[in-house]
Amino acid sequence: MVGSKYSPFNGFSFKAFSRNSGKPFFSASRKSGLKPQKFIETTVSALAALCPEVEFVAEDASRSDPGFLKEAASAAIDAGAAVVTVCDTAGTMLPEEFYEAVRSIREAIPG
């Protein structure tokens, strides 16, 4: 019954986490045979089919490759993520630097 209006997941929201520069996605995608962006798309799409709101969280994003982070956020949005959260979990950036990093991600994503 997953995905039906009687699904136990109705009314819940799920978060798909990317920790430490996307390493869990790289690790998991190797096991699944999928590339990181495809793994993100597949995971977020499956979660979006189960609940009305999916949040993609890029944890420890300040140490991530900016290009990968933009691609990951874009893939998550394209797959149905309603919210993308970018975190400086390690505290490696000054507020102005983090502002610029988030601004560049937003500019890279259409809409």
Side-chain angles (χ1 to χ4, degrees):
M1 259 209 255
V2 173
S4 76
K5 67 180 182 176
Y6 301 107
S7 169
F9 297 106
N10 284 346
F12 288 85
S13 62
F14 290 86
K15 296 182 181 184
F17 284 89
S18 170
R19 297 178 190 267
N20 296 327
S21 307
K23 289 179 185 172
F25 278 115
F26 284 120
S27 174
S29 65
R30 269 194 289 261
K31 291 177 185 175
S32 69
L34 299 174
K35 293 186 178 196
Q37 277 70 18
K38 185 64 177 172
F39 182 78
I40 292 168
E41 290 171 6
T42 302
T43 304
V44 171
S45 179
L47 292 171
L50 297 173
C51 65
E53 182 179 292
V54 175
E55 178 179 4
F56 177 80
V57 179
E59 199 170 271
D60 202 7
S62 58
R63 296 192 293 178
S64 297
D65 173 70
F68 171 79
L69 195 53
K70 290 174 188 176
E71 291 174 13
S74 184
I77 290 169
D78 290 346
V83 177
V84 172
T85 301
V86 180
C87 305
D88 179 22
T89 315
T92 60
M93 291 184 163
L94 294 171
E96 313 76 52
E97 294 171 321
F98 193 65
Y99 169 83
E100 286 301 319
V102 172
R103 185 187 58 73
S104 72
I105 295 167
R106 288 191 65 164
E107 287 179 354
I109 298 171

